Amino acid sequence: MGVNQWFKFGGNKAMSEQAQAAQAAKTPLEKLKEKYGDASRIGGKGTQRRKKKTVHKTTIQDDKKFKTTVKKLGMQPLQDIDEVNMFKDDSTVIQFKRPEVFAAFQSNAFAVMGPAETKNIMDILPELLQQLNPKELQSLGEKLKKDLPKDVKNTIKEEKDEEDKDEIPTLINSNFEEVSKKE
């Protein structure tokens, strides 16, 4: 090794110790500025990447498209509808709270727009019982009987049998007074 090379090596070592001492003396704010640059700069080399992708909602455009389609079909808005329930075959219900409902009575078509939730029919059964007429209640009961598991069906049958045992038998073609006189 020559003298020049030794100087460079020794000089670099001394410089790196000085740089480390200067780096340690910097405040955290200065470290951030050095790492990320000027805060007023947006984008480009040396700026921080975005960690979360922003999703732009296009609900306004969807609403406009929906309403133009509704107008083309000749649908009229229905007022004062608080809730819409759509029953599916797998014992779930699509429930709309405060929806916008449009109807075309001549073509028997309805359109529902609003926030929807999919729920199990058993979760909203108490609310549904108040809203249904007797015919709808009967069809709902038949549907629920088909969908119930076998163990639940067996317990229902057992409860009915116990109720039948507890009932007082009816008198056929008799009167209490006549029966008591004979005894």
Side-chain angles (χ1 to χ4, degrees):
M1 255 202 294
V3 177
N4 290 341
Q5 291 176 346
W6 180 261
F7 247 174
K8 286 182 184 177
F9 182 75
N12 286 341
K13 188 174 182 183
M15 290 287 277
S16 65
E17 289 175 358
Q18 289 174 356
Q20 287 176 355
Q23 183 71 19
K26 288 185 181 178
T27 63
L29 185 61
E30 291 174 9
K31 287 180 185 178
L32 284 174
K33 281 186 180 179
E34 183 179 314
K35 185 174 182 179
Y36 296 112
D38 190 15
S40 63
R41 187 176 64 170
I42 298 174
K45 187 176 179 182
T47 58
Q48 188 177 16
R49 285 190 175 183
R50 197 172 22 173
K51 291 181 177 78
K52 185 178 177 184
K53 184 177 181 181
T54 57
V55 179
H56 299 288
K57 295 182 180 180
T58 59
T59 55
I60 296 170
Q61 290 177 342
D62 292 341
D63 290 349
K64 287 180 182 178
K65 287 181 183 179
F66 177 76
K67 290 191 178 186
T68 56
T69 306
V70 164
K71 285 181 183 178
K72 285 180 186 176
L73 295 173
M75 294 184 159
Q76 300 298 321
L78 298 178
Q79 303 297 325
D80 299 328
I81 295 181
D82 294 328
E83 180 179 86
V84 173
N85 295 317
M86 295 183 179
F87 296 90
K88 293 172 63 176
D89 291 334
D90 61 346
S91 296
T92 57
V93 178
I94 301 173
Q95 188 175 45
F96 295 88
K97 296 275 186 179
R98 296 301 225 157
E100 290 182 52
V101 181
F102 299 91
F105 294 109
Q106 66 273 14
S107 61
N108 198 21
F110 294 90
V112 181
M113 184 175 86
E117 296 178 15
T118 303
K119 296 182 178 180
N120 190 350
I121 197 166
M122 295 304 229
D123 295 340
I124 60 169
L125 194 60
E127 298 170 15
L128 290 176
L129 293 177
Q130 298 172 358
Q131 300 171 3
L132 301 176
N133 63 29
K135 186 178 179 182
E136 292 169 338
L137 275 174
Q138 184 179 7
S139 65
L140 181 65
E142 292 171 3
K143 182 176 175 54
L144 288 176
K145 284 180 185 176
K146 291 177 186 174
D147 294 339
L148 285 177
K150 289 182 180 179
D151 59 335
V152 175
K153 289 180 184 177
N154 291 337
T155 55
I156 292 172
K157 285 181 183 177
E158 290 172 1
E159 289 175 4
K160 285 184 181 179
D161 291 340
E162 289 176 8
E163 288 176 10
D164 292 342
K165 290 179 185 176
D166 293 340
E167 289 182 14
I168 300 173
T170 58
L171 292 174
I172 302 172
N173 298 330
S174 356
N175 191 348
F176 280 115
E177 293 175 6
E178 293 174 4
V179 173
S180 65
K181 287 180 186 177
K182 290 180 183 178
E183 293 179 358

